Amino acid sequence: MLKNTTYTYLLALMLFGACSGFLDEKPNKNILVPESVSEYEALIDNFDQINITPVLPFIYADDYYTSASNWQRFLPWQQNAYFWSDNPYLPEDSPLDYYLMYRKIFYANIILDKINMAPDWSVADQERLKGKALFWRAHAYYELAVLHLPIPDSGFDGAGYFIPLVTDADLGSTQRNDNAGEVFSVIIEDLENSLSLLPDLPEYATQPSRYGGYALLARINLYLGKYEEARQYAGQVLAGPFTLMDYGMQDSTSSYPFELFNSETVLFTTMATQGTVSNDNIAYVSADLMESFDSLDLRLPLYTFSNDFGTVSYRGSYTGDYSVFTGIGLDEVYLILAESNVRLGNEEEGLEHLVSLLEKRYSNEFQLTYGEEGLLEEVLSERRKSLVFRGQRWADLKRFSYWDNRNDNLKRSLEEEEILFESKPENFLLKIAQRELTFMK
């Protein structure tokens, strides 16, 4: 079990203590806990701490490469992750990704615990806060599951893989080490319960909405191989006020061609800032990916730019700047609809959704054709190009290896050293850092 620490002390720790492990330092007794609705809402609306996702899926993915001199600037765990180590952390390392996700979970649990105590709040306040808390708890657990757990019902989800499942703020009394099936049950239940509590559109774009819940459920069900559920939830998003941008109308000469909170943004999150790994002078777009874009494709000049030293960097983030957008755009929703329908045998409907997207992504001369490999391969190819630098590639490679038995051999090299990664299901399970394991016994 984790260290048995009181509710008040834990809240103080997570709010104000930059602890080096999940629960390895005692908090300051003098720090006050929140009481009012506005104070609790400030916890769950703090986008710098809530609207973030881990960096490891970005490092592990094959969207980019870097030079030996740049790699030397990475932190040791980042260097190890770049070469696909399933245990990148040194024994005394405190994994920031892990901490950030459990901090988000803890904030959500604090709110849910408070509501369970029947505070003197209006029903509207309680429902609003509960919806947000359930949504972000599910979001954080999904990010952790992609890194550390096998996909449920895939044949690889044995009892040997687990993460702490914490469902209230008294971590010491309620923490369980649960497997993939149990964790995903909580994720889906939390999101489904949040839908009736969330507004169709949030007050601020950084907050979750019912459409954001539909979109996240669509993404997660696609990952789980539940294509009918993914199709249904993605279809719900199309009823929202979101519109596809015409990439032909975007300014390719702009440093950052896409506005923050643009018309395609359904759910807004960004990758946590952890050193320099995603900087445009560090992360270069791979040559194979560049070559996959057609000459009529409007995405390439908007997504990339050439550096003076002969490399190509990415600039097409929906954050409107250099930070990495990991949220859900309407383009991803169309791609989920296309893929799910094709996998379900509804090729005509899948093709319709794919064409609806590509009409906004190619010049007018474009005509969609696909060869012997079939429509599914065309959908996945367009997904690869549309969602580059979105933080989704690692989850895609993982699900392809599980559900399609696809073995994509990835390769990276630094000077004379070459490292290969074979995309087999068992290679996608990142070990939990040794420092954190001591608190899971």
Side-chain angles (χ1 to χ4, degrees):
M1 293 295 291
L2 294 170
K3 292 181 180 179
N4 191 6
T5 313
T6 66
Y7 170 90
T8 303
Y9 288 1
L10 280 171
L11 175 56
L13 170 64
M14 300 302 284
L15 290 178
F16 303 101
C19 63
S20 58
F22 188 24
L23 285 178
D24 62 345
E25 289 187 8
K26 293 183 178 180
N28 186 334
K29 298 179 182 179
N30 296 322
I31 299 174
L32 298 176
V33 298
E35 286 297 333
S36 69
V37 170
S38 61
E39 288 172 326
Y40 279 91
E41 197 140 37
L43 280 181
I44 207 67
D45 287 346
N46 184 347
F47 62 87
D48 284 335
Q49 297 184 354
I50 298 297
N51 296 68
I52 54 174
T53 61
V55 72
L56 280 172
F58 177 85
I59 300 177
Y60 283 128
D62 59 344
D63 282 350
Y64 80 104
Y65 71 96
T66 197
S67 65
S69 60
N70 286 335
W71 180 82
Q72 293 290 345
R73 298 164 60 186
F74 287 7
L75 297 172
W77 66 269
Q78 295 169 338
Q79 293 178 338
N80 294 334
Y82 186 77
F83 281 142
W84 295 299
S85 169
D86 66 352
N87 190 18
Y89 295 104
L90 301 177
E92 294 303 314
D93 278 352
S94 298
L96 187 56
D97 279 349
Y98 190 85
Y99 168 73
L100 292 176
M101 292 305 101
Y102 274 107
R103 180 177 64 184
K104 186 190 301 191
I105 290 164
F106 187 73
Y107 286 177
N109 285 340
I110 286 189
I111 290 171
L112 295 172
D113 277 8
K114 183 67 175 180
I115 291 172
N116 287 337
M117 295 166 60
D120 186 20
W121 297 351
S122 70
V123 172
D125 286 340
Q126 292 188 55
E127 289 184 345
R128 183 179 67 255
L129 281 168
K130 183 177 181 179
K132 292 178 181 180
L134 290 171
F135 179 93
W136 288 121
R137 183 168 73 178
H139 185 274
Y141 271 125
Y142 172 66
E143 295 293 337
L144 289 165
V146 167
L147 286 173
H148 298 295
L149 295 177
I151 297 178
D153 303 322
S154 62
F156 296 88
D157 50 339
Y161 302 99
F162 53 84
I163 61 173
L165 184 61
V166 189
T167 54
D168 76 28
D170 190 352
L171 298 172
S173 65
T174 59
Q175 178 264 331
R176 308 188 310 271
N177 298 328
D178 281 354
N179 62 28
E182 293 162 333
V183 171
F184 272 97
S185 291
V186 171
I187 291 170
I188 297 299
E189 182 180 4
D190 277 358
L191 282 175
E192 289 179 343
N193 288 338
S194 75
L195 292 176
S196 63
L197 305 173
L198 292 169
D200 286 341
L201 294 175
E203 184 178 3
Y204 300 102
T206 54
Q207 297 172 2
S209 67
R210 186 172 299 128
Y211 289 117
Y214 292 144
L216 186 54
L217 278 162
R219 174 188 279 182
I220 292 172
N221 277 289
L222 186 73
Y223 175 80
L224 295 175
K226 297 181 177 181
Y227 304 117
E228 179 58 38
E229 291 86 343
R231 183 186 73 86
Q232 290 181 10
Y233 281 121
Q236 298 269 47
V237 180
L238 298 190
F242 317 101
T243 57
L244 289 170
M245 290 180 284
D246 183 345
Y247 274 21
M249 302 299 292
Q250 302 301 121
D251 182 7
S252 63
T253 66
S254 175
S255 297
Y256 301 106
F258 301 107
E259 293 182 355
L260 176 66
F261 308 138
N262 60 59
S263 66
E264 292 190 11
T265 305
V266 181
L267 172 65
F268 182 81
T269 62
T270 63
M271 188 181 79
T273 302
Q274 297 186 30
T276 61
V277 292
S278 64
N279 288 3
D280 57 27
N281 63 340
I282 298 288
Y284 309 134
V285 182
S286 65
D288 289 346
L289 185 53
M290 291 284 297
E291 292 170 0
S292 69
F293 286 87
D294 186 273
S295 60
L296 300 178
D297 198 320
L298 299 169
R299 289 169 294 194
L300 188 60
L302 293 171
Y303 283 0
T304 63
F305 68 97
S306 298
N307 287 312
D308 294 336
F309 34 93
T311 59
V312 176
S313 296
Y314 179 78
R315 61 169 175 162
S317 177
Y318 280 13
T319 61
D321 60 18
Y322 57 86
S323 54
V324 177
F325 177 78
T326 57
I328 302 179
L330 190 60
D331 53 354
E332 182 179 347
V333 173
Y334 271 93
L335 289 162
I336 292 172
L337 282 165
E339 181 180 343
S340 297
N341 275 294
V342 172
R343 288 186 182 274
L344 290 167
N346 308 323
E347 288 209 350
E348 185 175 345
E349 189 173 349
L351 179 60
E352 180 181 341
H353 289 301
L354 182 62
V355 170
S356 295
L357 172 64
L358 298 187
E359 285 176 343
K360 304 293 186 179
R361 297 300 185 259
Y362 283 85
S363 64
N364 292 334
E365 297 86 359
F366 168 74
Q367 290 186 341
L368 178 63
T369 60
Y370 53 93
E372 295 180 358
E373 292 185 341
L375 181 56
L376 178 61
E377 289 304 312
E378 185 65 25
V379 171
L380 297 183
S381 174
E382 295 300 335
R383 179 180 175 89
R384 175 81 173 103
K385 289 178 282 188
S386 280
L387 303 187
V388 62
F389 275 61
R390 293 275 191 93
Q392 301 311 305
R393 177 61 173 169
W394 185 247
D396 279 349
L397 287 169
K398 183 174 179 178
R399 67 184 179 91
F400 296 155
S401 76
Y402 277 70
W403 301 124
D404 301 333
N405 296 315
R406 186 177 302 213
N407 192 342
D408 294 305
N409 290 312
L410 310 184
K411 179 174 67 175
R412 280 174 172 163
S413 59
L414 287 180
E415 296 179 340
E416 301 301 319
E417 185 176 11
E418 184 174 89
I419 303 294
L420 300 177
F421 176 84
E422 187 176 2
S423 60
K424 299 187 297 185
E426 58 268 31
N427 290 341
F428 286 91
L429 301 172
L430 174 66
K431 291 181 173 62
I432 293 175
Q434 183 60 43
R435 188 180 185 95
E436 301 304 328
L437 289 175
T438 61
F439 303 106
M440 294 171 59
K441 298 177 180 179

